Amino acid sequence: MRSIAISHIPHRVLHFEPALKRESPGRIQPLSEFGRAPSNESTINNSLEFPKEQLYPDSHNTSSSDDVNLTPADRRWAVDHAVLQTRPDDYPLERTSRVIHGTKAEIISSRIAKCLQSRSIEAKFSKTENNVAECRNTDFCKFYIRLYLEKEGGDGGVLVEVQRLCGDCVSFMHDYRAVLDASEGKEVVKTVEKSIYWLLPLSEMSFMKDVPPLSKEEEVQPVNMTAELLASNQSDSNMLGMENLVSLTDSLQTVKPTAILSAKRILYPDHHDNKPFNMHNYVMSLVIFGNESEEKSFFEGTAMEEHDMRLRNLAICSVANSLALLAKEGCLSQTIDPCKDWYKDVLIPRLVQDLSTAGEHPHDACYACRCLSSLATTCERLADKMKIVGGLYALKSAEEVGQSEFALLAQDASMCHKTIMRSCIY
């Protein structure tokens, strides 16, 4: 890690730039494989038998109620109404709060846990009397949910307070409203992940008919600008570059020729446009190595740790977008064929490993499922490799995590499992 001292009178500021891996992942040592699974699919491979507390670290047993039918998703947050504390007066009450009357805290907490699962919001629930849920949505907006005993009224009402820590305020607005409505027992419509910008691909919109065709230079320019951001030694530029790359590989947000070019540069290391800066090596280094760096312990618990997690999440999202786009265009097999062995021996085991840690990073596991689905559809050899390294059993475990904690993961894992089963060589 480099540190640069910038002197300003009368203050002195330290600007930290974390070192990012830019070398080619190459043919790294194979990750720990789970072994070929037995023919009886009802028998779970021992190496994938996760203890319940590892899959659901925040689960608690709560008594059933006539108000709701408790599921594993509802039991994750157990709050005892009898020991609920009143809110301190030493800081102002958030406007994003609501008082619930006539309902016990146990029921309110189960409603909120169910809402968080249905909206695919990661949550860590406190096991102390503080009654706090630390949440992060798919846009990496972080917020706290706290439960207090309402002071006024004397009827034992529960104060639900939602506090944003960081992230997009618009994304937070949708989630906090859903959480507060759910705490009151109102029905909350489940959302699916879709672009908030377009409902149709940009190239299919009516106004595009009057737009003159883009030149080759205009199609390549946004990709080259993104490559310059990724090549920068500034961490904020790297983050902006990865956010751009996710948009560039989404045909809903960019013109198709630019999206296809971006996807090919990500998936094929020897693409002729990768000579100035190899986009494949950069993105795949983040996917394979993640945030495994010497500075990991130094940044633990800081904003830079969140930065690394976000960077890797965007990287695997861009790979998932690229695989899906080229598979839809029918040119994925041709693009990855020269380096198919690398995908088979390096990338697939790493994606399966993401599934086995779905309890810690469910959003990454969603994109891993999408990557595996596209690869399995393209090549039977790749689908068979997924089965050999225990992909089917990792998907089942990830689906269970999704059903309890992260709805998108349950959906993606189920679809990926069906895709692999159809494509495998037996």
Side-chain angles (χ1 to χ4, degrees), residues 59 61 103 121 147 154 192 209 213 224 248 341-342 346 353 357 371:
S59 61
N61 292 326
T103 307
I121 299 175
L147 301 185
V192 295
K209 299 177 182 179
N224 290 337
L248 287 176
D341 288 340
W342 181 88
V346 179
Q353 195 174 75
T357 59
C371 291

Side-chain angles (χ1 to χ4, degrees), residues 33-51 386-394 396-397:
E33 297 187 357
F34 303 108
R36 183 179 290 275
S39 56
N40 184 5
E41 293 189 9
S42 63
T43 304
I44 302 297
N45 192 309
N46 291 334
S47 58
L48 278 179
E49 289 180 350
F50 302 105
M386 297 171 197
K387 181 184 176 185
I388 292 174
V389 299
L392 294 178
Y393 302 94
K396 281 297 183 183
S397 298

Side-chain angles (χ1 to χ4, degrees), residues 54-108:
Q54 180 178 346
L55 284 176
Y56 317 114
D58 302 307
S59 61
H60 298 276
N61 292 326
T62 58
S63 59
S64 61
S65 170
D66 295 336
D67 189 84
V68 290
N69 296 321
L70 295 181
T71 66
D74 308 330
R75 297 189 181 98
R76 292 192 297 150
W77 196 11
V79 177
D80 188 356
H81 189 94
V83 298
L84 209 59
Q85 299 179 355
T86 58
R87 188 181 182 279
D89 296 327
D90 52 354
Y91 57 95
L93 177 66
E94 295 286 340
R95 291 182 297 175
T96 52
S97 60
R98 193 173 297 176
V99 178
I100 314 299
H101 296 282
T103 307
K104 294 294 184 181
E106 293 89 341
I107 302 302
I108 294 175

Side-chain angles (χ1 to χ4, degrees), residues 71-291:
T71 66
D74 308 330
R75 297 189 181 98
R76 292 192 297 150
W77 196 11
V79 177
D80 188 356
H81 189 94
V83 298
L84 209 59
Q85 299 179 355
T86 58
R87 188 181 182 279
D89 296 327
D90 52 354
Y91 57 95
L93 177 66
E94 295 286 340
R95 291 182 297 175
T96 52
S97 60
R98 193 173 297 176
V99 178
I100 314 299
H101 296 282
T103 307
K104 294 294 184 181
E106 293 89 341
I107 302 302
I108 294 175
S109 63
S110 68
R111 290 171 177 172
I112 293 175
K114 185 176 182 179
C115 175
L116 296 176
Q117 185 272 344
S118 67
R119 298 182 68 84
S120 300
I121 299 175
E122 297 180 54
K124 296 180 181 178
F125 303 103
S126 67
K127 300 179 181 179
T128 65
E129 65 279 4
N130 293 329
N131 302 319
V132 178
E134 181 180 350
C135 308
R136 181 177 61 212
N137 65 15
T138 53
D139 294 322
F140 272 69
C141 175
K142 294 184 67 176
F143 55 93
Y144 281 164
I145 304 174
R146 294 183 175 90
L147 301 185
Y148 299 104
L149 185 66
E150 174 62 14
K151 296 179 181 180
E152 301 177 359
D155 60 349
V158 177
L159 171 63
V160 181
E161 183 181 34
V162 187
Q163 180 186 31
R164 183 174 70 98
L165 300 180
C166 63
D168 180 33
C169 59
V170 175
S171 177
F172 170 71
M173 178 186 67
H174 294 303
D175 286 332
Y176 97 76
R177 288 176 176 173
V179 167
L180 294 181
D181 286 345
S183 65
E184 287 188 326
K186 298 178 181 179
E187 184 178 358
V188 179
V189 179
K190 295 182 180 180
T191 59
V192 295
E193 188 181 45
K194 60 172 62 176
S195 172
I196 65 173
Y197 304 104
W198 319 114
L199 298 178
L200 288 173
L202 186 63
S203 56
E204 297 180 12
M205 291 188 173
S206 58
F207 75 90
M208 289 295 294
K209 299 177 182 179
D210 301 327
V211 177
L214 296 178
S215 64
K216 183 67 175 178
E217 292 75 14
E218 290 173 327
E219 293 176 357
V220 174
Q221 184 181 13
V223 186
N224 290 337
M225 292 176 62
T226 299
E228 292 177 4
L229 291 172
L230 297 177
S232 171
N233 59 2
Q234 301 289 331
S235 58
D236 54 349
S237 297
N238 299 150
M239 180 65 72
L240 180 59
M242 285 307 309
E243 291 173 350
N244 287 350
L245 194 58
V246 169
S247 297
L248 287 176
T249 53
D250 187 353
S251 60
L252 291 176
Q253 302 184 44
T254 188
V255 293
K256 186 175 292 186
T258 300
I260 292 176
L261 173 61
S262 303
K264 288 184 176 180
R265 289 190 61 173
I266 291 174
L267 299 180
Y268 182 45
D270 296 329
H271 192 279
H272 57 85
D273 287 338
N274 274 338
K275 291 181 180 179
F277 176 80
N278 199 310
M279 193 174 290
H280 168 91
N281 290 347
Y282 183 90
V283 173
M284 292 302 181
S285 291
L286 289 174
V287 174
I288 300 298
F289 299 112
N291 58 349

